[in-house]
Amino acid sequence: MVTPPLGRRPGKRDTRTEIVAAAREAFRTDGYDGTTMRSVARRAGVDPSLVHHYFGDKAGLFVAVMDLAHDPRRVSEQLALGAGPKGAGLVLAFLDIWEGPASTGEPGSGFVAMVQAASSAPEVATALREFLTERVWRPEGGAPSWGPALVSVQLAGVGWARYIMRVEPIASASPEEVAALVGPTIDRYMAGGQASEGAGNATE
Amino acid sequence: MVTPPLGRRPGKRDTRTEIVAAAREAFRTDGYDGTTMRSVARRAGVDPSLVHHYFGDKAGLFVAVMDLAHDPRRVSEQLALGAGPKGAGLVLAFLDIWEGPASTGEPGSGFVAMVQAASSAPEVATALREFLTERVWRPEGGAPSWGPALVSVQLAGVGWARYIMRVEPIASASPEEVAALVGPTIDRYMAGGQASEGAGNATE
């Protein structure tokens, strides 16, 4: 899949912007797994060392393309740290990505754009899934398990309710309130990979 | 907001199709609350009795516009029925809307289209929220409460993971497996409006 370099437009776009544009195209066309630093460099018409210089690695490039305020790999690091309930911290980290000080535009607008892209272009959803699988859900490989999948159900659902549907009281609640309510569910799923104890048992 | 009737196109579109098109436009422009059977009839250039004839009421019209396989008001009826855990049944009803025998196209394609529309057009999200608020979340009015909001977090998250991101094992699991895993969380939220008991407590 050799694509001729796009070359530089006359004038304004800087190299970093060129690389991000080339990477966006590459992730769409080849998926996350099929994209390499080298193929992005080729598309952008720059030396691969420049791509490394600006973005570090492929995951960093993907984060830039998705215009994420924070690298979601931090979420994975947070999950790996220490024992005890981490659900609330995870919800706070998720909300911080979309509405924290480093986010741009309206609170949640990055989430809305991401949902729009993933629902409109299956290739974007695929690239996002590959990225999350490799970098957040199971960085050490292994079979798919219910835990990470159900945690992502919680976080995606919160984003949907808060930023897109603007369901009250979730839309106006503080991040801490949301974290306090949804965190325990995440802890339960992370503990067992499921939530079979409690009110759902037929024996109650 | 009087709009002149669009009149009939020469030829093919039947009256029902005309009404759905007019209603789509009305919900987008005026929201769910601001749309009436009469205003839709006016836009479509038909007698209001025809709109009633085809769709019953405004909610029925909205269901047709969103191209929902099943009327989500049935979910609300299901919630009202009997005592005991209903979360699993609710998840099954939700999945049946999007992939059951009455759904059209690829399994989940209706959900994808709905997410695409709601994330691309805030007016669609608003109309959908007003519809769900009035017809599913709190059909008897009352203040927003955490219960229905957190239940919708679960269902939206499941749809996102299963139909858009196609996260395994959620994407390939049977509806029954998904219901068994997510149902208890819904029961917990419906019981308390929150999920504060269990693994999330710092005292554990």
Side-chain angles (χ1 to χ4, degrees):
Chain A
M1 185 119 5
V2 178
T3 308
L6 296 172
R8 239 18 118 62
R9 297 282 149 61
K12 299 301 162 295
R13 301 177 80 189
D14 65 23
T15 307
R16 192 180 182 286
T17 310
E18 295 274 2
I19 296 171
V20 170
R24 179 171 291 115
E25 194 53 36
F27 286 129
R28 257 185 201 272
T29 311
D30 307 329
Y32 184 81
D33 287 345
T35 297
T36 63
M37 297 292 270
R38 187 164 292 274
S39 71
V40 170
R42 202 183 308 119
R43 279 177 185 272
V46 302
D47 192 84
S49 65
L50 259 183
V51 182
H52 285 281
H53 169 72
Y54 280 117
F55 302 99
D57 59 8
K58 186 167 73 169
L61 199 51
F62 189 80
V63 166
V65 166
M66 295 297 291
D67 197 19
L68 301 177
H70 295 297
D71 189 333
R73 285 175 292 177
R74 291 195 202 161
V75 168
S76 146
E77 285 158 19
Q78 184 161 359
L79 283 175
L81 284 175
K86 304 178 236 193
L90 194 55
V91 174
L92 286 174
F94 175 80
L95 295 176
D96 191 57
I97 290 176
W98 308 112
E99 62 189 78
S103 65
T104 54
E106 291 274 294
S109 59
F111 182 84
V112 177
M114 190 268 290
V115 166
Q116 201 178 325
S119 61
S120 304
E123 318 86 75
V124 173
T126 301
L128 189 58
R129 181 183 64 243
E130 289 171 352
F131 171 76
L132 291 172
T133 302
E134 184 177 310
R135 296 291 169 153
V136 182
W137 293 333
R138 33 190 182 110
E140 274 96 49
S145 67
W146 283 95
L150 291 168
V151 169
S152 71
V153 161
Q154 303 306 312
L155 297 179
V158 165
W160 170 259
R162 185 171 175 90
Y163 303 130
I164 296 180
M165 291 294 286
R166 299 178 186 271
V167 180
E168 294 299 351
I170 290 182
S172 306
S174 71
E176 290 72 21
E177 286 176 285
V178 177
L181 282 161
V182 177
T185 300
I186 291 181
D187 290 322
R188 218 173 267 121
Y189 283 132
M190 295 205 317
Q194 54 180 37
S196 56
E197 86 284 16
N201 285 348
T203 50
E204 269 193 20
Chain B
M1 184 117 10
V2 179
T3 307
L6 296 172
R8 243 8 122 66
R9 295 283 148 63
K12 300 302 163 295
R13 301 178 80 188
D14 64 22
T15 307
R16 193 181 182 285
T17 309
E18 295 274 1
I19 296 172
V20 171
R24 178 172 292 117
E25 193 55 36
F27 286 128
R28 258 184 201 273
T29 311
D30 307 329
Y32 185 82
D33 287 346
T35 297
T36 63
M37 297 293 268
R38 187 164 292 275
S39 71
V40 169
R42 202 184 306 120
R43 279 177 184 272
V46 302
D47 192 84
S49 64
L50 260 183
V51 183
H52 285 281
H53 169 72
Y54 280 116
F55 303 99
D57 59 7
K58 185 166 71 168
L61 198 50
F62 188 80
V63 166
V65 166
M66 294 297 290
D67 197 19
L68 301 177
H70 294 297
D71 189 333
R73 284 175 293 178
R74 291 194 201 162
V75 169
S76 145
E77 283 157 21
Q78 182 161 359
L79 283 175
L81 284 175
K86 303 178 237 192
L90 193 55
V91 174
L92 286 175
F94 175 80
L95 294 176
D96 191 57
I97 290 177
W98 309 112
E99 61 188 79
S103 65
T104 54
E106 290 275 295
S109 59
F111 182 84
V112 176
M114 189 267 291
V115 166
Q116 201 178 327
S119 61
S120 304
E123 318 87 76
V124 173
T126 301
L128 190 57
R129 181 183 62 244
E130 289 170 352
F131 171 76
L132 290 172
T133 302
E134 184 178 309
R135 296 291 169 153
V136 182
W137 294 333
R138 36 193 180 105
E140 273 96 50
S145 67
W146 282 95
L150 290 169
V151 170
S152 70
V153 161
Q154 303 305 311
L155 297 179
V158 165
W160 171 259
R162 185 170 174 91
Y163 302 130
I164 297 180
M165 292 292 288
R166 300 179 186 270
V167 180
E168 292 300 351
I170 291 182
S172 306
S174 70
E176 290 71 22
E177 287 177 284
V178 177
L181 282 161
V182 179
T185 300
I186 292 181
D187 289 323
R188 218 173 266 120
Y189 284 132
M190 294 206 318
Q194 54 181 36
S196 56
E197 86 283 16
N201 284 349
T203 49
E204 265 191 26

